[in-house]
Amino acid sequence: MNIVLLEPEIPANTGNIGRTCVATNTRLHLIEPMGFKLNEKQIKRAGLDYWKDLDYVVYDSYEDFLKKNNYPKIYMATTKALKPYTHVKYEPDCFIMFGKESAGIPEEILLSNKENCIRIPMVGNIRSLNLGNSVAIILYEALRQNNFEGMKLQGELHTHKWNEV
């Protein structure tokens, strides 16, 4: 899987998303300009000690991202979409893009990808969910649809066994 952040602004969100990407073996694509530097303390704090294990790529622009990834099919997560994120079939190596926290993905990009725009349903006049939460919701749906390929599906107790009564 591939998560794409278009011009992220808040380092803590990107750090949390990076940690989620490490936990799911997902590549993180970061498109400039960003509202922070990758060596900032906040991003490291949110990503904990997982940041060193993160598979990520930084691009100069949206066009640079498109060219270097051979113009991939991209699911665009936006509050402006007409269909829920659960109404698409995610490919194992798909790209899921999220826009910057203050404005989302620009409408001209959405319009040129309208068949791949998806949204997380919400009630009322809520503008949006936190970016890290939105990434986790949609990424885990994509992973579920692909049977959590390569992921550990069972946990273990430290001092007991699950079958003990």
Side-chain angles (χ1 to χ4, degrees):
M1 295 284 167
N2 294 275
I3 293 297
V4 182
L5 301 183
L6 179 64
E7 302 176 4
E9 299 168 314
I10 302 172
N13 284 339
T14 300
N16 285 322
I17 291 164
R19 184 176 179 178
T20 299
C21 287
V22 171
T24 59
N25 195 31
T26 297
R27 176 174 270 184
L28 179 61
H29 303 262
L30 301 167
I31 301 175
E32 296 275 8
M34 293 186 279
F36 53 89
K37 302 260 186 260
L38 288 178
N39 61 358
E40 285 188 24
K41 189 185 293 186
Q42 286 179 298
I43 200 165
K44 303 257 193 251
R45 185 180 305 132
L48 296 175
D49 56 346
Y50 299 101
W51 194 257
K52 65 181 175 22
D53 299 319
L54 178 62
D55 177 9
Y56 71 96
V57 183
V58 179
Y59 303 90
D60 293 332
S61 65
Y62 177 63
E63 189 60 35
D64 182 42
F65 161 77
L66 291 175
K67 284 180 186 175
K68 288 181 177 169
N69 288 285
N70 212 15
Y71 296 88
K73 176 181 179 181
I74 307 167
Y75 295 101
M76 308 258 172
T78 174
T79 58
K80 300 168 181 78
L82 298 175
K83 67 182 166 192
Y85 71 100
T86 54
H87 289 196
V88 298
K89 174 66 179 134
Y90 299 94
E91 302 82 10
D93 59 349
C94 70
F95 289 79
I96 307 167
M97 178 180 280
F98 299 81
K100 62 183 166 185
E101 291 90 338
S102 65
I105 300 169
E107 288 189 7
E108 56 273 7
I109 294 174
L110 296 176
L111 286 171
S112 64
N113 293 280
K114 61 184 173 186
E115 66 282 352
N116 295 324
C117 289
I118 54 175
R119 69 174 277 116
I120 298 170
M122 294 175 284
V123 298
N125 294 324
I126 300 296
R127 279 193 323 273
S128 65
L129 295 174
N130 171 273
L131 183 60
N133 292 340
S134 297
V135 168
I137 289 167
I138 296 175
L139 176 58
Y140 267 87
E141 171 61 16
L143 292 166
R144 183 196 66 79
Q145 287 185 15
N146 287 277
N147 300 311
F148 298 107
E149 186 67 35
M151 298 179 77
K152 186 176 178 180
L153 297 178
Q154 295 182 337
E156 301 169 8
L157 297 173
H158 293 289
T159 57
H160 296 82
K161 299 217 182 287
W162 281 109
N163 59 0
E164 291 178 350
V165 178

